[in-house]
Amino acid sequence: MTAAALLPTAVMLPMAGAALTLILGKRPKAQRIVSVSVLILQLVVEISMLLAVDANGTLVVQVGGWSAPFGITLVADRLATLMLVVSTTVTLAVLIYAISADHADGEETDTPVTIFHPAFLILATGVSNAFLAGDLFNLFVSFEILLTASYVLITSGGTMERLRDGAPYVVVSLLSSIIFLSGIALVYTATGTVNLADLAGKMAALPVGIVLVLQAMLLVAFGVKAAIWPMQQWLPDSYPTAPAPVTAVFAGLLTKVGVYAIIRVQTLLFPGGNFDDLLMIIAAITMVIGILGALAQAGIKRMLSFTLVSHIGYMLFGVAAHNEIGLAASIFYVMHHILVQTALFLAAGLIERVAGTTQLSRLSGLAAASPLLAVLFFVPAMNLAGVPPFSGFLGKVGLFEAGVENGSAVAYVVVGAGALTSLLTLYTILRVWGRAFWRPDPEVLEGGAPGERIRPGQDKKWFAATQARRTALRTAAARLPLGMLVATTFVVAVTLVLTVVGGPIYGVAERAAENLGDRNGYITAVFGADASSGTGGLQVTEGAGP
Amino acid sequence: MNPNALDSNVTIAVIIGVSFACGVYLLMSKNLIRVLLGFLLVGHGTNLLLLSSGRGGIAPIAGSDGDLADPLPQALILTSIVITLAVVTFLLAMAYRNYRLTRETEVADDPDDAAVAHRGETVGGGE
């Protein structure tokens, strides 16, 4: 019972923290202390939850004491707790990064501090609740919690660019929420329950046509959130303009919550694999379209947003391959990608601070100006591309194995697309590396009179301008706030941990996948020992027949 | 067939369909006020859909016997109404802010998209 008390705590902690930071709005220092300590506490809670779940099996809490199909159920299995630990690690690092950036900028921040902390903690609340939700409606509510917080964060400051790029994000998210809610209404009409464990039993009794409609609606709703082709258009437009820490946490976490929901729903409610072939094709298109988009970008942040879309395809493929290896690899890849993508966006934020821009045409010589920054970008970048020693490689190998085990022609095509995407990612990353870090000087420099642009060939002016630029870069790099560097280094270090102790962590992912394969285990855990009477006790509303 | 009071109610089905159609049409607009109205319409449509998902009957707590209405959809709708309210408030604030900044109710185009579109045009024109 004591271990089960951890579940509501993981949701309540950040929520209480958000309330506290809102009250402390006029005292930024106290705000910072509260939000950091809340997240550290939450991380401790979640790690102990992970250990408890990995040792003793799934934890369940019936909120308010209402028995399973009637009340709100919180369920923590291995997948949920793994996601919780990784997500809180990332949010904590990003929070420290943001605090340090704000601290360095003094009063003139581009994120109003008063709002930032409460909104950020509410976002953490929504994410934790989404991973623990044991029924569809609770999942919807947690999506709304995190989305509402994300609307505030993405338009924070209310500048014109943020409104312009935030508006499509808000509207698309609203539409996907509506689709999700309508899906829930239809699920309830057909089965008379929204509890996931209860639904798992009742879905099988429905006519195939109705199941397909419900599955398709839920997949579309989660697909928009996960930015899967053809519902990915909103992402590369809206993420790059938000403040660096906000983009980092969004890119790392929000799409993965959608992926998590897809994994959960596909394994628990629709184990039949109705859409597997379609999902595999969509996964392949998502990978290729995303990476081709990334190749065409002129700015690092937009490029990273497109690679984010591209790599969601891998996770989807793991689910669609419909075997345990695929699920395990998918779970491992989700964890790896949350960390790597966050690290890359944090590094992009550092680049923006040093050079004042992330446009490739205006970047150069960063490796000479700041070797540390170069390492902080290079390691996660190689990891993203899946170069052998890193965790991205382990995840991809697992996924390819799953594809081979699946054995269908489509699966082989997707494996090919995955390999191609991997190579193209490497090329995209090397292009950034070559331009921003290794290239000595850009073709055109700002210098001399205001607005004057100097091209190579105007010898003396060119020489003076290059010298000035190099010193400016060096001083800016030297002035990077320590907290930002520490936070980024921390995330990069965790990605390396995922590589070094890849075996044990992959083992946990495999056990989580086994968990998912064993649907009866989940159902028994939710309904307690008297499982049979639990499912039978509910008055079934029969589906509206044909 | 179950005693679902609404499963044969064409009126409700038509109302849901029409409000979805109109709402989604309005959501497609770049004008934030239209988006707001569209979201309200779609939201109401969804709430009706949720309402019609439960069994109809007499009041569930006060009524003693007979066909009790299913209380769960009503609890779900309450939650969804509150969420709609919060989101509408946010959209209103956003529309107002947008109006303050640009004196327009429409959201501007993304410059990167415009650049890509422009590049496409010039390439197409060159051939």
Side-chain angles (χ1 to χ4, degrees), chain A residues 96-106 109 245 353 481 483-484:
Chain A
I96 291 170
Y97 182 95
I99 287 175
S100 157
D102 282 347
H103 195 63
D105 294 340
T109 63
R353 270 185 100 81
M484 295 175 84

Side-chain angles (χ1 to χ4, degrees), chain A residues 247-330:
Chain A
T247 316
V249 78
F250 279 20
L253 280 185
L254 294 199
T255 46
K256 307 310 182 304
V257 181
V259 174
Y260 165 82
I262 289 180
I263 296 181
R264 177 66 76 205
V265 166
Q266 283 288 99
T267 54
L268 191 60
L269 301 192
F270 309 104
N274 296 322
F275 286 116
D276 278 355
D277 283 350
L278 181 66
L279 282 183
M280 272 198 241
I281 295 167
I282 288 178
I285 300 178
T286 309
M287 288 178 199
V288 174
I289 293 246
I291 204 64
L292 289 181
L295 266 175
Q297 297 311 309
I300 295 183
K301 281 182 171 181
R302 267 180 83 84
M303 188 278 284
L304 287 177
S305 303
F306 273 98
T307 59
L308 169 61
V309 171
S310 167
H311 285 242
I312 294 290
Y314 285 103
M315 300 160 211
L316 186 64
F317 173 52
V319 184
H322 206 108
N323 50 34
E324 221 159 75
I325 309 177
L327 272 180
S330 205

Side-chain angles (χ1 to χ4, degrees), chain A residues 34-56:
Chain A
V34 169
S35 48
V36 171
S37 42
V38 158
L39 282 185
I40 291 176
L41 260 178
Q42 206 197 356
L43 190 59
V44 172
V45 166
E46 285 166 359
I47 289 176
S48 40
M49 200 156 49
L50 175 64
L51 295 177
V53 169
D54 200 30
N56 308 323

Side-chain angles (χ1 to χ4, degrees), chain A residues 158 164-165 188-189 237 542, chain B residues 2 53 70 97 109-110 113:
Chain A
R164 184 192 63 215
D165 293 341
Y188 191 80
T189 316
D237 280 344
E542 291 293 330
Chain B
N2 64 75
S53 70
D70 189 350
R97 179 76 188 172
D109 277 326
D110 189 282
D113 281 349

Side-chain angles (χ1 to χ4, degrees), chain A residues 1 4 7 58-62 73-76 522 524-527:
Chain A
M1 203 57 226
L7 270 71
T58 310
L59 291 172
V60 177
V61 171
Q62 311 289 354
T73 316
L74 295 181
V75 187
Y522 187 96
T524 338
V526 170
F527 285 111

Side-chain angles (χ1 to χ4, degrees), chain A residues 137 140-141 144 151-152 155 157-160 163-165 167 171 174-175 178 181-182 185 188-189 237 302 542, chain B residues 2 20 35 39 42 46 49 53 70 72-73 76 83 87 90 94 97-98 101-102 107-113:
Chain A
F137 197 76
F140 167 74
V141 172
E144 286 304 309
Y151 300 156
V152 175
T155 54
T159 59
M160 226 186 60
L163 280 183
R164 184 192 63 215
D165 293 341
V171 174
L174 285 180
L175 252 182
I178 292 286
L181 191 58
S182 312
Y188 191 80
T189 316
D237 280 344
R302 267 180 83 84
E542 291 293 330
Chain B
N2 64 75
F20 260 88
V35 168
F39 176 66
V42 173
T46 319
L49 184 62
S53 70
D70 189 350
L72 188 67
L76 302 186
I83 291 172
V87 173
F90 181 80
M94 213 166 88
R97 179 76 188 172
N98 193 49
L101 285 171
T102 62
V107 181
D109 277 326
D110 189 282
D112 286 303
D113 281 349

Side-chain angles (χ1 to χ4, degrees), chain A residues 205-225:
Chain A
L206 290 180
V208 183
I210 291 180
V211 174
L212 285 182
V213 170
L214 299 178
Q215 189 177 6
M217 281 193 85
L218 293 179
L219 278 179
V220 169
F222 299 144
V224 173
K225 292 186 163 88

